[in-house]
């Protein structure tokens, strides 16, 4: 009987609410828009919080990954978090005693030719150690080696992401060793990353090496 009474009361309340909304369309519209904006804003906030704070990074042992920035209290009007420069790469690589792997990276774009129509692709430039730190093994081929970081090599090693490999090469399993032209320079394909691979909030199509020249490196250029 209590259940029947509750449902009967709920039905009367719903009918009253519907009649009230029909007689006050402006108020109803404002209320619906307000609820929609509130729900949308909360959903967006939760998506950001979930992606940044709750959901783990898609790598093995994500709690062991660390990002490095620098404070510059002696430089007027400097930002709070300063990126790193090429000269710092050699310092960290040789003096580091805290991290198993350390690497620098930046995103960009490059032109690819020799595969039909030329196209501009999204790129991820990394030093040796970056992909090793993430510990996501290529599904084919290999990571960059320390020798691949050497400047002025005849060709640039290239790692393809899964989507670009599928789109541009049709999933050809014999792609390792092929040479493509990137920014007018030959690049040898040495690996293909797995389908689930992501790099932070970037969505690269090809991965290339940074190749810092120690003789030209200086403390400025905080771009990495």
């Amino acid at each position: 009987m209590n259940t029947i009474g509750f449902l009967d009361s709920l039905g009367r309340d719903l009918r009253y609410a519907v009649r009230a909304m029909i007689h006050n369309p402006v108020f109803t519209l404002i209320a619906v828009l307000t609820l929609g904006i509130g729900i949308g804003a909360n959903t967006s906030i939760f998506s950001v919080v979930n992606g940044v704070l709750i959901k783990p990074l898609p790598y093995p042992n994500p709690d062991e990954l660390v990002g490095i920035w620098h404070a510059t209290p002696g430089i007027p009007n400097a930002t709070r978090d300063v990126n790193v420069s090429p000269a710092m790469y050699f310092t960290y690589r040789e003096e580091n005693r805290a991290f198993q792997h350390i690497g620098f990276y930046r995103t960009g774009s490059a032109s690819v030719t020799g595969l039909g129509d030329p196209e501009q692709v999204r790129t991820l430039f990394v030093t040796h150690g970056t992909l090793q730190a993430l510990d996501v093994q290529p599904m084919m081929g290999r990571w960059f080696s320390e020798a691949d970081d050497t400047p002025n090599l005849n060709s640039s090693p290239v790692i393809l992401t899964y989507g670009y490999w599928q789109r541009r090469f049709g999933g050809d399993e014999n792609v390792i060793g092929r040479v493509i032209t990137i920014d007018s320079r030959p690049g040898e394909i040495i690996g293909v990353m797995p389908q689930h691979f992501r790099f932070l909030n970037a969505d690269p199509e090809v991965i290339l090496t940074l190749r810092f020249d120690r003789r030209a490196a200086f403390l400025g250029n905080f771009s990495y």
Side-chain angles (χ1 to χ4, degrees):
M1 292 299 294
N2 289 336
T3 302
I4 295 175
F6 170 76
L7 293 176
D8 184 56
S9 176
L10 178 62
R12 288 196 304 270
D13 291 341
L14 289 175
R15 289 192 294 272
Y16 175 77
V18 171
R19 286 196 301 269
M21 287 190 293
I22 292 174
H23 287 96
N24 297 277
V26 176
F27 172 79
T28 301
L29 178 62
I30 294 173
V32 171
L33 288 175
T34 302
L35 284 172
I37 292 171
I39 294 171
N42 280 281
T43 301
S44 300
I45 293 172
F46 175 78
S47 298
V48 173
V49 172
N50 180 58
V52 175
L53 299 178
I54 301 175
K55 185 179 179 180
L57 294 171
Y59 313 118
N61 305 313
D63 55 321
E64 297 180 3
L65 294 173
V66 182
I68 299 176
W69 288 266
H70 300 83
T72 54
I75 301 178
N77 303 320
T79 57
R80 179 179 178 184
D81 295 327
V82 178
N83 290 333
V84 290
S85 70
M88 292 178 175
Y89 170 66
F90 298 105
T91 300
Y92 280 128
R93 188 182 70 179
E94 295 164 11
E95 304 298 331
N96 161 52
R97 300 293 182 270
F99 305 113
Q100 183 177 2
H101 300 287
I102 190 164
F104 288 14
Y105 69 90
R106 71 172 174 86
T107 56
S109 63
S111 62
V112 175
T113 55
L115 295 173
D117 294 335
E119 65 173 336
Q120 198 78 4
V121 299
R122 299 181 301 275
T123 57
L124 171 67
F125 291 87
V126 300
T127 62
H128 170 259
T130 307
L131 299 179
Q132 285 85 347
L134 301 182
D135 198 23
V136 178
Q137 294 283 347
M139 61 171 289
M140 294 170 52
R142 62 175 179 85
W143 284 323
F144 298 126
S145 67
E146 191 167 351
D148 292 327
D149 268 352
T150 304
N152 302 320
L153 293 178
N154 292 330
S155 65
S156 302
V158 180
I159 297 177
L160 308 178
T161 56
Y162 183 88
Y164 189 72
W165 172 60
Q166 288 286 330
R167 178 174 69 84
R168 204 60 168 153
F169 295 90
D172 181 8
E173 296 183 356
N174 297 314
V175 73
I176 303 300
R178 287 187 59 177
V179 176
I180 60 177
T181 303
I182 300 180
D183 284 344
S184 302
R185 295 189 60 186
E188 180 183 350
I189 299 172
I190 65 169
V192 177
M193 297 303 289
Q195 185 174 6
H196 65 271
F197 173 75
R198 298 292 182 274
F199 190 87
L200 304 180
N201 60 347
D203 185 23
E205 294 174 291
V206 298
I207 307 174
L208 306 170
T209 53
L210 277 172
R211 293 187 172 185
F212 294 134
D213 186 345
R214 186 168 196 146
R215 295 169 297 180
F218 59 97
L219 185 59
N221 187 18
F222 301 98
S223 304
Y224 304 91

